[in-house]
Amino acid sequence: MIPPLAVRMARASNPRGTAAMWVRDRLDELFTDEHFADWYPIDGRRGLSPARLAMVSVLQYAENLTDWQAAEAVRCRLDWKYCLGWMIRAVTIPCSASSETAWLKAIGLTGCWP
């Protein structure tokens, strides 16, 4: 389910749509966490959604982005938030952050992992 605010803002800023929006609209959820269930343990700390991480990787490859650029796209681009079904909120990523830290900040999970 895409948050209603994300739908309104993505459609208002991209009335003709983008590749990321097309993927979500036509393929709904290309990946689901169940596709990756055998790859992850059932106990322990909850991690990031493997399906969403896979979609970020697909979008990153499709747009030929670096890790930093992809983290920035997750943070800033409404069409990516729409595709991933994420809430729209402001998150800052410091320039000195490593790629892993940038990803965690971009999706709001800082402090969850050592």
Side-chain angles (χ1 to χ4, degrees):
M1 171 93 182
I2 305 171
L5 179 60
V7 173
R8 287 193 312 273
M9 290 183 72
R11 292 283 173 214
S13 65
N14 300 293
R16 297 182 64 191
T18 65
M21 294 168 70
W22 182 91
V23 167
R24 178 62 186 233
D25 290 342
R26 303 222 177 25
L27 303 177
D28 194 17
E29 293 186 17
L30 181 61
F31 304 110
T32 63
D33 288 342
E34 290 77 32
H35 288 122
F36 303 95
D38 295 337
W39 297 7
Y40 293 90
I42 57 173
D43 57 345
R45 206 176 345 189
R46 182 180 171 158
L48 305 174
S49 165
R52 286 183 173 168
L53 290 174
M55 183 56 70
V56 168
S57 296
V58 168
L59 295 172
Q60 177 182 2
Y61 178 80
E63 296 190 17
N64 195 29
L65 302 176
T66 65
D67 288 345
W68 181 261
Q69 290 169 324
E72 189 73 6
V74 168
R75 184 181 74 83
C76 296
R77 290 186 46 188
L78 296 174
D79 59 332
W80 278 43
K81 291 180 185 295
Y82 177 92
C83 181
L84 298 168
W86 283 346
M87 300 286 291
I88 295 176
R89 60 191 166 143
V91 178
T92 57
I93 299 175
C95 294
S96 62
S98 69
S99 292
E100 183 177 335
T101 303
W103 279 105
L104 295 174
K105 280 187 176 272
I107 57 176
L109 292 177
T110 51
C112 293
W113 292 341

